């Protein structure tokens, strides 16, 4: 099943926690093993020291007894060398043995008894040697043959055997503890490594699955984008062709409408020219009425000639003029829509200054001013389109100025989001009601009081031209305060034309 982003995060956190637990277990086991090894090593060294001291002490007793017997048997003083060496070393060695066992009360008591035993043995050896040196060889042999000396050595020998065996066992126990710790560490390391491998493998598998899904999704998105771009291109081409057809249709229709309109206007002029002759014929002054039918007809003809016909002709004339203006506006839009845009390098500052100069005299005469701020960058666009846009906006600002205050226009130009240019044209004119903010961009629609001439095509034409150069125009306005028209368009028109 697909892996979601939240599932990936949960899995990753779980794997990290498992890996951390395994790592902590390994580290804890290692610390424990180090502590156990230190204790075991300490015990092992203690046991080996005790064993070495006991063996040395036993060797001293054996050397002393061997020297004594050799001297008693041979009488040769040379055999006393081992005895004398043992006697000299015994006190210090005995002290070291007792010091090694002083931490164990039981062993310390045994060491004290061993000292007594060995001291008694060394005293017995000294008596026999002294007797032999004094010529009492038989007395010395008698002491040797007595059971007291043998019992002392037997006691000492048994003690040494038990103590050395105990030390050997302590050594074995310490080694066994170390082996168990190493074995435990081996298993902990193995299991921890296994867990870490599982964690790494699981994480890698999860990431691989998620990455594979991302790659598949990216491929699907790329496919959809390619298909979408193709469909957009096709739709754009269709819309372009439809727009061309609409413009062609509008041109043909308006062109065909102009012919009958010209006829209507021509015949209206002829009617106006014939009206004077008709009025002269019927006469302007009324004759005395005789009450017959001819007088009534003459009166009706007089009313038609002087009242009804002039009024009807005036209505026809105004309607044909208005229709002519509308047809001219449609033809203008159609021609502009079919005009080929020509991208060229433009200094926007110069275009804005030219547009401002065209209306400046009208503004200054009323005490107003027009200012331009910002540093617009160089751009590639259609010069005629920009001139018509800004010219129309400034003309509207002048046309719909507030009568109670001087007109002030402020133009701010600069870069916009993306690779666009943004120009704001703000004025303190009449303002536009909120419900008319979009209505003013519709063809043949106007807002506010209709005290200025116009057909309602200016702003519609401006928005059409803005969109032709890859932009749009919006308005922010408050009735009675003023308006700000914000124009955004492409900095490089070639990209817009290439994408169309």
């Amino acid at each position: 099943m697909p892996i979601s982003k939240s599932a990936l995060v949960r899995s990753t956190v779980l794997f990290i926690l498992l890996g951390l637990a395994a790592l902590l277990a390994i580290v804890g086991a290692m610390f424990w093993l180090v502590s156990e090894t230190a204790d075991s090593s300490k015990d092992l060294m203690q046991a080996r020291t005790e064993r070495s001291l006991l063996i040395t002490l036993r060797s001293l007793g054996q050397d002393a007894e061997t020297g004594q017997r050799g001297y008693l048997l041979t009488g040769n003083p040379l055999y006393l060398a081992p005895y004398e060496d043992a006697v000299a070393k015994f006190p210090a060695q005995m002290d070291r043995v007792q010091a090694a066992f002083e931490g164990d009360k039981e062993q310390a008591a045994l060491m004290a008894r061993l000292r007594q035993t060995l001291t008694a043995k060394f005293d017995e050896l000294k008596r026999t040697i002294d007797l032999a040196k004094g010529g009492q060889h038989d007395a010395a042999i008698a002491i040797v043959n007595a059971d007291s000396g043998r019992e002392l050595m037997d006691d000492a020998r048994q003690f040494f055997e038990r103590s050395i065996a105990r030390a050997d066992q302590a050594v074995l126990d310490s080694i066994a503890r170390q082996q168990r710790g190493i074995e435990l560490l081996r298993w902990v390391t193995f299991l921890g490594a296994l867990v870490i491998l599982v964690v790494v493998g699981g994480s890698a598998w999860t990431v691989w699955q998620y990455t594979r899904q991302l790659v598949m999704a990216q491929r699907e998105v790329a496919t959809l984008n390619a298909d979408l771009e193709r469909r957009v291109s096709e739709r754009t081409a269709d819309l372009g062709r439809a727009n061309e057809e609409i413009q062609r249709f509008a041109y043909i229709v308006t062109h065909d409408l102009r012919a009958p309109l010209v006829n209507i206007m021509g015949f209206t002029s002829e009617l106006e020219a014939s009206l004077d002759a008709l009025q002269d014929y019927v006469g302007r002054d009324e004759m005395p009425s005789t009450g017959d039918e001819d007088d009534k007809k003459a009166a009706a003809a007089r009313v038609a000639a002087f009242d009804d016909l002039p009024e009807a002709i005036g209505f026809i004339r105004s309607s044909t003029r208005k229709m002519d203006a509308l047809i001219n506006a449609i033809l203008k839009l159609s021609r502009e829509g079919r005009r080929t845009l020509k991208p060229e390098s433009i200094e926007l500052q110069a275009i804005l200054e030219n547009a401002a100069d065209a209306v400046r005299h009208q503004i200054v005469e009323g005490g107003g001013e027009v200012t331009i701020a910002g540093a617009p960058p160089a751009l590639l666009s259609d010069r005629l389109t920009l001139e018509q846009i800004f010219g129309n906006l400034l003309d509207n600002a002048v046309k719909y100025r507030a009568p109670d205050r001087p007109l002030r226009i402020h133009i701010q130009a600069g870069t916009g989001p993306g690779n666009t240019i943004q120009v704001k044209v703000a004025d303190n004119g009449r303002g536009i009601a909120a419900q008319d903010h979009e209505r003013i961009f519709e063809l043949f629609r106007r807002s506010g009081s209709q005290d200025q001439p116009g057909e309602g095509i200016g702003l519609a034409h401006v928005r059409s031209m803005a969109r032709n150069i890859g932009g749009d125009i919006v308005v922010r306005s408050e009735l009675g305060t003023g308006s700000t028209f914000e124009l955004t368009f492409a900095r490089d028109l070639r990209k817009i034309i290439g994408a169309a």
Side-chain angles (χ1 to χ4, degrees):
M1 60 180 297
I3 300 176
S4 63
K5 185 177 181 180
S6 59
L8 175 66
V9 173
R10 288 196 300 269
S11 307
T12 303
V13 171
L14 178 60
F15 285 132
I16 290 174
L17 291 177
L18 288 175
L20 181 61
L23 184 60
L24 290 176
I26 294 174
V27 172
M30 290 183 67
F31 274 110
W32 174 82
L33 177 61
V34 168
S35 177
E36 284 292 306
T37 301
D39 293 341
S40 299
S41 297
K42 183 178 178 181
D43 294 342
L44 180 61
M45 293 300 296
Q46 179 69 20
R48 287 181 175 176
T49 301
E50 293 173 357
R51 186 177 186 277
S52 176
L53 291 172
L54 288 171
I55 291 174
T56 301
L57 184 60
R58 185 179 65 178
S59 297
L60 290 176
Q62 292 173 348
D63 290 345
E65 189 178 37
T66 300
Q68 177 239 15
R69 290 182 180 181
Y71 177 71
L72 292 179
L73 290 174
T74 64
N76 189 349
L78 293 177
Y79 283 98
L80 290 178
Y83 164 77
E84 291 172 351
D85 183 64
V87 170
K89 294 180 178 179
F90 169 73
Q93 185 65 22
M94 191 67 230
D95 290 340
R96 285 194 288 269
V97 171
Q98 284 189 297
F101 287 97
E102 64 182 357
D104 190 337
K105 292 183 179 181
E106 182 180 355
Q107 289 297 111
L110 293 175
M111 292 303 106
R113 203 177 86 182
L114 175 62
R115 188 182 193 108
Q116 294 174 357
T117 302
L118 291 177
T119 300
K121 180 62 179 177
F122 272 89
D123 290 341
E124 185 262 340
L125 294 176
K126 184 176 184 301
R127 286 199 308 272
T128 59
I129 292 173
D130 289 342
L131 288 172
K133 285 181 178 180
Q136 301 180 19
H137 187 266
D138 292 336
I141 295 299
I143 293 174
V144 173
N145 291 331
D147 290 336
S148 59
R150 180 177 58 80
E151 289 176 357
L152 290 173
M153 283 305 297
D154 288 343
D155 289 343
R157 192 176 294 109
Q158 291 177 3
F159 177 81
F160 280 123
E161 290 177 355
R162 289 196 302 269
S163 297
I164 292 174
R166 179 180 175 275
D168 289 340
Q169 186 61 44
V171 170
L172 294 175
D173 291 342
S174 298
I175 294 174
R177 285 174 58 193
Q178 290 182 346
Q179 290 294 332
R180 287 195 300 271
I182 293 172
E183 187 68 19
L184 179 60
L185 178 61
R186 183 183 295 114
W187 278 106
V188 171
T189 304
F190 172 75
L191 294 177
L194 184 62
V195 172
I196 291 175
L197 286 176
V198 171
V199 169
V200 172
S203 301
W205 181 83
T206 303
V207 172
W208 177 78
Q209 285 285 90
Y210 188 71
T211 304
R212 187 171 65 89
Q213 292 176 13
L214 285 179
V215 171
M216 293 175 61
Q218 289 175 352
R219 289 175 180 171
E220 292 178 359
V221 170
T223 302
L224 292 175
N225 285 340
D227 185 61
L228 180 61
E229 290 178 0
R230 179 184 57 80
R231 286 185 290 173
V232 168
S233 298
E234 293 176 354
R235 184 59 178 163
T236 302
D238 292 340
L239 290 176
R241 288 191 293 269
N243 186 48
E244 291 177 359
E245 290 295 330
I246 291 173
Q247 292 175 355
R248 190 179 300 110
F249 176 76
Y251 181 80
I252 293 173
V253 168
T254 52
H255 184 271
D256 291 343
L257 285 175
R258 181 174 291 278
L261 181 62
V262 169
N263 291 334
I264 294 174
M265 294 174 68
F267 282 113
T268 302
S269 299
E270 290 186 9
L271 284 176
E272 284 181 325
S274 302
L275 186 60
D276 292 338
L278 179 62
Q279 290 175 346
D280 291 341
Y281 177 76
V282 298
R284 188 174 294 274
D285 298 327
E286 295 185 5
M287 299 295 293
S289 177
T290 58
D292 60 7
E293 189 66 26
D294 289 338
D295 288 341
K296 293 179 180 179
K297 292 180 179 179
R302 195 174 293 109
V303 170
F306 286 97
D307 296 329
D308 295 342
L309 284 177
E311 183 180 5
I313 292 172
F315 281 132
I316 293 173
R317 175 67 69 185
S318 63
S319 297
T320 54
R321 285 172 180 166
K322 184 175 183 180
M323 182 175 290
D324 184 57
L326 294 177
I327 290 174
N328 287 333
I330 295 173
L331 283 173
K332 181 179 179 181
L333 289 177
S334 177
R335 292 191 189 100
E336 287 296 329
R338 291 186 296 153
R339 188 176 68 85
T340 301
L341 300 176
K342 298 178 180 179
E344 59 180 294
S345 181
I346 293 175
E347 291 293 336
L348 185 58
Q349 186 75 20
I351 291 181
L352 295 176
E353 290 175 355
N354 290 337
D357 291 341
V359 296
R360 195 183 303 275
H361 66 284
Q362 302 178 61
I363 299 173
V364 173
E365 287 177 357
E369 64 175 350
V370 54
T371 59
I372 302 174
L379 63 144
L380 288 168
S381 192
D382 186 77
R383 181 182 299 275
L384 180 59
T385 297
L386 291 177
E387 290 174 348
Q388 290 180 341
I389 288 175
F390 295 118
N392 198 300
L393 291 177
L394 295 180
D395 284 342
N396 276 355
V398 173
K399 183 186 294 185
Y400 297 106
R401 71 178 74 182
D404 58 343
R405 56 179 175 266
L407 175 62
R408 301 188 184 281
I409 300 176
H410 179 72
I411 304 173
Q412 177 75 40
T415 57
N419 194 26
T420 61
I421 302 296
Q422 190 174 73
V423 181
K424 296 179 181 179
V425 180
D427 64 63
N428 64 339
R430 299 181 185 180
I432 303 167
Q435 66 270 18
D436 292 332
H437 285 183
E438 278 299 316
R439 186 172 180 266
I440 59 174
F441 293 107
E442 297 176 5
L443 192 61
F444 307 129
R445 304 294 293 273
R446 305 173 70 189
S447 69
S449 60
Q450 307 299 314
D451 59 345
Q452 296 292 332
E455 293 79 27
I457 67 169
L459 290 177
H461 189 207
V462 167
R463 172 167 280 185
S464 175
M465 289 187 293
R467 289 175 175 174
N468 284 341
I469 58 174
D472 204 353
I473 186 170
V474 295
V475 64
R476 294 194 307 274
S477 180
E478 185 177 344
L479 195 61
T481 300
S483 304
T484 299
F485 288 87
E486 185 174 311
L487 174 69
T488 303
F489 56 94
R491 185 174 178 178
D492 190 348
L493 183 59
R494 294 173 302 179
K495 297 180 179 178
I496 304 300
I497 297 175

